[in-house]
Amino acid sequence: MGFGDLKSPAGLQLLNDYLADKSYIEGLPGVKKSLGKYGPATVEDTTGSGTADAKDDDDIDLFGSDEEEESEEAKRLREERLAQYESKKAKKPAVVAKSSILLDVKPWDDETDMAKLEECVRSIQADGLVWGSSKLVPVGYGIKKLQIQCVVEDDKVGTDMLEEQITAFEDYVQSMDVAAFNKI
């Protein structure tokens, strides 16, 4: 019983003829048989035992083996290249991360002295903080907000610190929002 060698045209033809009036190759579910046990009873099994194929598959190592020892030359070369990389990396200056922030500072009402409000905001000084241009933007009902630009070093100055210090001027500042935050 069997289809013969399925790698040969004769074996494939036998399989094709067998499946012409069947939808599957019959067999019990969960019971694995060798390939030669399936098919018509009139054809001799020429496939051999299925265990030889399983052993051949185990011999192939598709991803390389961790069991093989690395040669001394390869170890030395890898260590040398790692040392070169580390020395090159140490020579590069550290990049200072900076951000450009646009702040909206809102006053309490239309009677707030906006020149004094801007003076208070610009009085905040910190290492890594540089104030830029500013303008007054109408909000409504005669109220204008202060829109002011600053550049900060990310490691030294944060938006939370800026908000705390700006809103500390309670006589002039109602609230502060970050309108834009861009990494430089």
Side-chain angles (χ1 to χ4, degrees):
M1 168 189 269
F3 296 111
D5 185 9
L6 292 179
K7 294 180 182 175
S8 70
L12 287 177
Q13 185 61 42
L14 262 170
L15 175 63
N16 195 31
D17 292 343
Y18 180 78
L19 291 175
D21 61 342
K22 296 171 184 62
S23 60
Y24 59 92
I25 301 173
E26 47 190 0
L28 295 174
V31 178
K32 185 176 180 180
K33 298 188 221 174
S34 68
L35 186 60
K37 300 296 182 192
Y38 296 100
T42 59
V43 179
E44 183 181 332
D45 180 12
T46 60
T47 59
S49 69
T51 58
D53 292 337
K55 286 183 183 176
D56 289 344
D57 289 345
D58 290 343
D59 292 342
I60 299 172
D61 187 8
L62 298 176
F63 300 105
S65 177
D66 292 341
E67 297 170 9
E68 295 178 19
E69 289 296 320
E70 188 178 18
S71 71
E72 291 299 319
E73 177 67 21
K75 280 184 183 179
R76 185 190 59 76
L77 186 61
R78 182 172 44 84
E79 293 298 325
E80 186 178 299
R81 287 186 180 160
L82 282 172
Q84 285 176 352
Y85 172 74
E86 290 298 325
S87 67
K88 211 183 257 191
K89 187 175 162 184
K91 291 178 186 175
K92 289 185 180 179
V95 176
V96 178
K98 292 185 179 181
S99 298
S100 172
I101 304 174
L102 182 63
L103 302 172
D104 283 344
V105 183
K106 297 171 188 148
W108 285 107
D109 55 23
D110 62 338
E111 295 177 4
T112 303
D113 184 4
M114 296 304 287
K116 184 67 177 163
L117 185 143
E118 182 177 352
E119 183 183 321
C120 290
V121 170
R122 287 185 183 273
S123 71
I124 298 170
Q125 297 295 318
D127 184 32
L129 171 66
V130 178
W131 292 107
S133 63
S134 65
K135 65 180 179 179
L136 297 176
V137 178
V139 176
Y141 303 106
I143 300 174
K144 294 181 180 180
K145 66 181 176 182
L146 173 69
Q147 217 173 42
I148 188 164
Q149 184 83 27
C150 66
V151 175
V152 298
E153 289 182 26
D154 295 343
D155 292 341
K156 298 178 181 177
V157 180
T159 56
D160 293 338
M161 188 222 38
L162 285 174
E163 184 173 9
E164 283 178 19
Q165 291 187 6
I166 290 173
T167 55
F169 300 109
E170 294 174 350
D171 294 340
Y172 301 103
V173 179
Q174 177 211 2
S175 65
M176 184 216 82
D177 294 319
V178 176
F181 190 104
N182 297 309
K183 296 282 185 186
I184 297 177

